[in-house]
Amino acid sequence: MRKLFHWYASLGLASKQFIYLFIVTLMLVQVLAWRNLHEAESLLQNQVIRDAVLLVSRTNQYIDASLDNVENMLLLLSTRADLLEEGNEEAAVETLRKFAGINNSIARTLYMIRADGQVFASSQVVYDIIGNPKLNQLYELALINYGAINVSEPYDSPMSGRTLAYVLPITDAGDKMKGVVVAELNLDLLTERIAPMIYQSYILFTKEGSVINRLDSRDKLLPFQAASYPPKLEEGFRGQLVGLKVGVSGIEGDSLNPLVAVKSTKNRLGWSLAAFIEEDYFYQDLQKLNNNYRTASIVWIIMLLISAYLLSRSFTHPIRRFVEKMDRLNNFQVVAKLPVTRMDEIGRLTQSYNAMLERIQSLLLKTKHAEEQKKEYELKMLRSQIAPHFLYNTLACISSLAKQQRIDELRDTIRSLVKLLSFSFDKQSEYVSLEEELEGLRMYMHIQQVRYGEQYQFRIDINPDLLQYRILKLTLQPLVENALFHGLTPNHGGLIVVKGGLKKGILRLYVRDNGIGIRREKRRRLLLENQDGGQGSMYRFTGIGLRNVHERIRIHHGEAYGLRIGSAEGAGTVVRVDMPVLTESDERLGIWR
């Protein structure tokens, strides 16, 4: 904390004002935003819960209405005791089929069970094949509360799948027991019709906690027992269901996610409907409000920054200008003088500062000019320097050819040496055409092949349209020389290929060899250090190395140009040369970039 106060005390007046105003205003905005968001969250949550309560109530009414249809159908069928008489079997099956077709939205299978055990079904053929072992229990259930409709617990029926049954005794005019009518409900269709009415998830259950609707294992809110099919709720969650109070309450769902449960009152069958909503659901609609507050905060902060900047500028503008100018002293080439608009101490300080800039810029220009001349002299010396050992060995080779009376080879070697020396000593221009540079390479490689043999191969693969362009003299020769002595000589021979092309206004040349390659750590230093000295340089034609070529190109054309080196040990090396596209007219006009 002490360091923080010390840092604050060291700031300028404008910075202190900015920090104070920024912190106070930001805290005020945050408090207001938090309170408004909290209130909006509470209002939205209450509204969603009220809507959920209304939906659950209406859904429960829909279930009651659907069950009323089943009861009415059973009451109508219970008046048809004649269908259970002997000889009316076909009429009974046909009547059940018609009733099932009319009420297929809620009833899946209808049965009439005669007192002697004979069963008639709305799908008689299917029943005759697979049967229904639950009918005996349903028959007994109908007799428990004689004369009234009874409802079974949910069960799995081979005829109707997951279902529950309405049962009602059938009596004749003399109240004699003739049989029982059974209706198995279509719980799947009931579930499909209830699902769109609820926000996210729901359970329709009996007073004992038995689930009536079919559960979906893909439901992410409800916890299911592991490896159970059809899906079953965990016992702990079922226990919470029974204990839920009517209305809104909290309950833990899958992975202990907090849920909001909305439970309806029981219908006349003792069933309850509970709808479940994730607590995170209430925050989804707040995203737009959050975005609005975020946008308002960003605008407010921007306005605050602008206001603080203008305030600090009005207090400290003259001094800040001095600081900015002094911070730019690392580049004195483009520094504008400060206008003298005041007559006080700041005005006199401005005049002194302008005079100091003039003196510094003058000194820098002189220093820069001297450095450029020095660098140019060094480059000219390197270009014109001929290694004595190269001349000695070449002349010795010529002497050997003369002794062997190999006149044609002697004549070609002398011609190549004369042209190579003439090309190197020519001082008329720093630039030559690409064709002239390649001709010098051919002379150089001819001498090397005479000295060392034909195991050193050389090939030029350049479009003739590029030969007219101008490049710096002795740009490619050091690269070929480096490839020859550092790449091919340790490998006792190989191939050097020179290629070229244009890409986005850049003349791009490649010198490729299939020699021993360059280690990664050495390749990184090639353009930073002079790696061409040592024992190998005594056999070279010039003393120009890769770094010299790279720096020379950058001096003339800028840092965007120069050499790039790629290599793989055992596979060879590629050196890429990037230079601007220059014609002879560009050279005369002094256009180098």
Side-chain angles (χ1 to χ4, degrees):
M1 187 62 69
R2 181 178 300 176
K3 292 182 179 180
L4 182 62
F5 280 113
H6 180 72
W7 170 80
Y8 182 77
S10 64
L11 296 176
L13 179 62
S15 299
K16 291 180 180 178
Q17 290 177 339
F18 164 73
I19 292 175
Y20 176 76
L21 183 61
F22 179 80
I23 292 177
V24 171
T25 309
L26 186 62
M27 290 178 61
L28 180 61
V29 171
Q30 293 295 330
V31 170
L32 291 176
W34 180 83
R35 289 195 60 184
N36 290 337
L37 283 174
H38 183 70
E39 291 178 2
E41 175 189 337
S42 178
L43 291 174
L44 180 61
Q45 185 173 359
N46 292 335
Q47 181 63 44
V48 172
I49 290 176
R50 286 195 297 269
D51 293 344
V53 171
L54 181 61
L55 285 174
V56 168
S57 175
R58 290 181 177 177
T59 304
N60 209 26
Q61 292 174 5
Y62 168 78
I63 295 173
D64 283 343
S66 300
L67 298 180
D68 284 342
N69 293 334
V70 177
E71 293 180 359
N72 292 335
M73 180 179 58
L74 288 183
L75 291 174
L76 288 174
L77 289 174
S78 66
T79 62
R80 298 296 305 275
D82 59 300
L83 296 176
L84 297 179
E85 298 292 339
E86 292 289 341
N88 291 334
E89 290 83 358
E90 293 184 4
V93 172
E94 183 63 25
T95 300
L96 292 176
R97 184 181 297 111
K98 289 181 179 180
F99 271 85
I102 296 172
N103 297 277
N104 60 2
S105 62
I106 186 62
R108 173 163 288 181
T109 309
L110 299 178
Y111 305 92
M112 279 187 174
I113 307 174
R114 205 159 55 186
D116 61 359
Q118 180 70 28
V119 177
F120 309 109
S122 58
S123 299
Q124 188 67 39
V125 176
V126 177
Y127 172 78
D128 292 339
I129 296 174
I130 62 177
N132 190 341
K134 287 294 248 180
L135 293 182
N136 291 333
Q137 299 179 21
L138 297 176
Y139 190 91
E140 297 297 329
L141 177 64
L143 302 179
I144 292 176
N145 189 9
Y146 184 76
I149 296 177
N150 291 327
V151 182
S152 71
E153 288 292 315
Y155 63 92
D156 292 316
S157 167
M159 295 283 290
S160 305
R162 185 66 178 173
T163 185
L164 56 85
Y166 273 63
V167 294
L168 180 66
I170 300 176
T171 58
D172 58 11
D175 290 334
K176 181 179 179 182
M177 179 71 177
K178 302 293 291 184
V180 173
V181 59
V182 179
E184 288 185 333
L185 300 191
N186 191 342
L187 292 184
D188 290 340
L189 186 57
L190 181 65
T191 300
E192 293 175 2
R193 292 187 176 182
I194 294 175
M197 302 180 184
I198 308 300
Y199 276 119
Q200 294 186 346
S201 183
Y202 75 96
I203 295 177
L204 184 63
F205 59 96
T206 65
K207 59 184 177 180
E208 288 81 12
S210 299
V211 178
I212 296 174
N213 59 297
R214 182 182 293 275
L215 299 177
D216 189 350
S217 60
R218 296 172 296 179
D219 195 320
K220 302 301 182 182
L221 302 184
L222 304 179
F224 297 105
Q225 296 180 13
S228 62
Y229 186 82
K232 296 181 181 179
L233 293 174
E234 291 183 354
E235 290 300 325
F237 188 79
R238 288 181 66 248
Q240 293 183 76
L241 281 180
V242 177
L244 282 178
K245 65 179 182 179
V246 176
V248 181
S249 56
I251 189 172
E252 291 184 353
D254 191 19
S255 301
L256 302 180
N257 290 329
L259 304 176
V260 175
V262 181
K263 181 181 177 183
S264 70
T265 57
K266 296 180 180 180
N267 61 16
R268 56 178 173 271
L269 296 178
W271 297 354
S272 297
L273 176 65
F276 303 95
I277 307 172
E278 281 185 299
E279 286 191 358
D280 292 342
Y281 176 82
F282 301 110
Y283 302 102
Q284 294 178 2
D285 292 335
L286 293 176
Q287 187 63 38
K288 185 176 180 180
L289 187 59
N290 283 329
N291 293 336
N292 292 337
Y293 275 107
R294 188 180 298 111
T295 303
S297 299
I298 293 174
V299 173
W300 181 263
I301 291 173
I302 292 175
M303 292 178 62
L304 178 62
L305 290 172
I306 295 175
S307 301
Y309 172 75
L310 294 177
L311 180 63
S312 63
R313 183 183 177 87
S314 65
F315 280 108
T316 60
H317 177 63
I319 298 176
R320 287 184 180 273
R321 291 197 63 183
F322 280 117
V323 173
E324 291 172 0
K325 291 293 183 180
M326 295 180 69
D327 287 342
R328 289 194 222 126
L329 287 179
N330 58 346
N331 183 8
F332 287 95
Q333 295 180 359
V334 184
V335 179
K337 294 183 180 180
L338 291 178
V340 181
T341 58
R342 306 176 62 145
M343 302 300 295
D344 53 8
E345 289 80 1
I346 293 180
R348 291 193 294 272
L349 182 60
T350 302
Q351 293 176 354
S352 300
Y353 178 76
N354 290 337
M356 181 187 67
L357 284 181
E358 290 181 356
R359 292 191 297 269
I360 292 176
Q361 285 179 322
S362 177
L363 291 173
L364 284 176
L365 289 175
K366 292 180 180 179
T367 303
K368 181 180 179 182
H369 183 67
E371 289 293 332
E372 289 179 350
Q373 284 187 330
K374 180 181 177 182
K375 190 68 176 179
E376 188 66 24
Y377 291 150
E378 291 177 353
L379 290 174
K380 288 182 178 180
M381 291 178 64
L382 285 173
R383 291 202 312 270
S384 62
Q385 181 181 1
I386 305 298
H389 286 281
F390 173 82
L391 290 176
Y392 174 80
N393 290 329
T394 303
L395 292 175
C397 179
I398 291 173
S399 175
S400 176
L401 292 174
K403 290 179 180 180
Q404 299 176 34
Q405 295 185 353
R406 295 160 64 180
I407 305 303
D408 292 337
E409 295 180 20
L410 175 64
R411 183 182 300 109
D412 292 341
T413 304
I414 293 175
R415 184 182 300 111
S416 297
L417 179 61
V418 171
K419 288 184 178 180
L420 185 59
L421 294 176
S422 175
F423 176 74
S424 175
F425 285 131
D426 182 16
K427 298 296 195 306
Q428 292 183 0
S429 174
E430 280 190 283
Y431 287 84
V432 296
S433 66
L434 181 57
E435 183 177 14
E436 292 173 330
E437 180 77 5
L438 295 177
E439 183 62 25
L441 279 182
R442 292 188 183 95
M443 299 300 102
Y444 173 77
M445 285 304 300
H446 176 74
I447 294 173
Q448 299 297 357
Q449 287 174 336
V450 170
R451 290 175 58 188
Y452 298 110
E454 293 297 329
Q455 67 267 28
Y456 296 100
Q457 300 297 318
F458 177 70
R459 188 173 77 241
I460 296 176
D461 184 13
I462 293 182
N463 191 323
D465 295 338
L466 305 181
L467 300 180
Q468 59 175 324
Y469 295 125
R470 312 288 286 179
I471 67 172
L472 288 168
K473 185 190 296 184
L474 293 178
T475 295
L476 297 178
Q477 187 276 334
L479 308 183
V480 173
E481 191 173 53
N482 188 76
L484 179 66
F485 287 103
H486 290 288
L488 302 188
T489 299
N491 217 20
H492 304 293
L495 173 65
I496 298 176
V497 180
V498 179
K499 294 186 177 182
L502 291 178
K503 184 174 183 181
K504 298 181 179 179
I506 296 176
L507 178 61
R508 185 162 286 177
L509 304 173
Y510 299 89
V511 177
R512 182 191 302 270
D513 68 77
N514 59 355
I516 62 173
I518 307 172
R519 296 192 305 273
R520 183 189 298 269
E521 58 274 11
K522 183 178 180 181
R523 188 169 71 245
R524 294 175 179 172
R525 302 193 305 268
L526 274 179
L527 301 181
L528 301 177
E529 303 175 5
N530 193 351
Q531 300 293 325
D532 301 305
Q535 185 177 3
S537 63
M538 62 185 299
Y539 302 105
R540 289 181 174 276
F541 173 61
T542 69
I544 301 177
L546 295 184
R547 184 177 65 87
N548 299 120
V549 175
H550 179 65
E551 291 297 329
R552 184 179 172 211
I553 295 174
R554 287 160 65 94
I555 287 174
H556 282 83
H557 303 296
E559 296 186 359
Y561 303 96
L563 304 185
R564 302 291 186 275
I565 301 175
S567 181
E569 290 190 64
T573 303
V574 178
V575 180
R576 190 184 81 194
V577 184
D578 288 344
M579 297 187 68
V581 176
L582 296 176
T583 62
E584 190 172 359
S585 60
D586 295 332
E587 182 184 358
R588 287 197 300 269
L589 294 174
I591 302 174
W592 307 127
R593 300 188 184 184

